[in-house]
Amino acid sequence: METQAIEAGLPSLSAQERRRYPRTLSQVDAVVRTRNGCGRYLVSNLSVCGALITQGPPLALDTIAEIDLHIPEHPQIRVMARVAREGVLDDGERYMGLEFLHSSDETEDMIQAALLDEIERSQTHGIIPQLD
């Protein structure tokens, strides 16, 4: 999935900077609340430090929001975030890049656990082996 930045003021990130943390490309639902209201989004790229969201109302850069992540087989994760990027995907769909503002290690740990579960499932094609 290629993206195009539309905010000229933000420096480009190198591939190494973007991939500093494990991430998943699985589709995760999120509810995003700001001072201006609430919207449902699709998280198409999730890491411990942030997320890429699409399919919801546009959010302005630097907007602070409360995010509820709904990850299958995990409890809901609520984390604060800042809209750090915006752009357009190759297919023309608008995206927003969120930077998580963790207030404790707990939310970071919960996201990390969900990511590791997803990585394990993808490597075993969804089959978790039974150990005797």
Side-chain angles (χ1 to χ4, degrees):
M1 165 179 15
E2 291 296 315
T3 59
Q4 307 168 26
I6 61 172
E7 174 56 38
L10 292 175
S12 295
L13 296 177
S14 70
Q16 181 179 359
E17 289 171 317
R18 284 192 310 268
R19 302 296 179 231
R20 191 175 316 161
Y21 299 98
R23 63 194 65 231
T24 181
L25 299 177
S26 293
Q27 306 301 305
V28 172
D29 291 322
V31 174
V32 177
R33 281 183 290 290
T34 68
R35 291 178 190 223
N36 299 324
C38 178
R40 287 195 165 289
Y41 295 82
L42 182 67
V43 178
S44 58
N45 190 332
L46 176 67
S47 79
V48 170
C49 64
L52 185 82
I53 60 173
T54 60
Q55 298 184 2
L59 299 170
L61 285 175
D62 293 321
T63 297
I64 301 298
E66 183 178 67
I67 316 299
D68 288 339
L69 298 169
H70 302 280
I71 302 171
E73 300 180 26
H74 288 272
Q76 174 182 297
I77 301 169
R78 180 170 286 169
V79 62
M80 297 301 292
R82 178 182 73 85
V83 178
R85 306 190 150 270
E86 61 180 355
V88 178
L89 300 173
D90 284 345
D91 64 5
E93 185 171 27
R94 183 177 260 331
Y95 74 85
M96 283 125 329
L98 303 178
E99 173 189 13
F100 292 146
L101 307 171
H102 296 286
S103 59
S104 73
D105 290 341
E106 183 180 359
T107 56
E108 201 168 336
D109 291 346
M110 291 172 71
I111 294 170
Q112 183 70 32
L115 290 171
L116 291 174
D117 284 352
E118 180 65 25
I119 290 167
E120 184 175 322
R121 265 194 294 281
S122 69
Q123 290 175 346
T124 62
H125 305 288
I127 299 168
I128 306 298
Q130 298 250 345
L131 301 175
D132 294 326

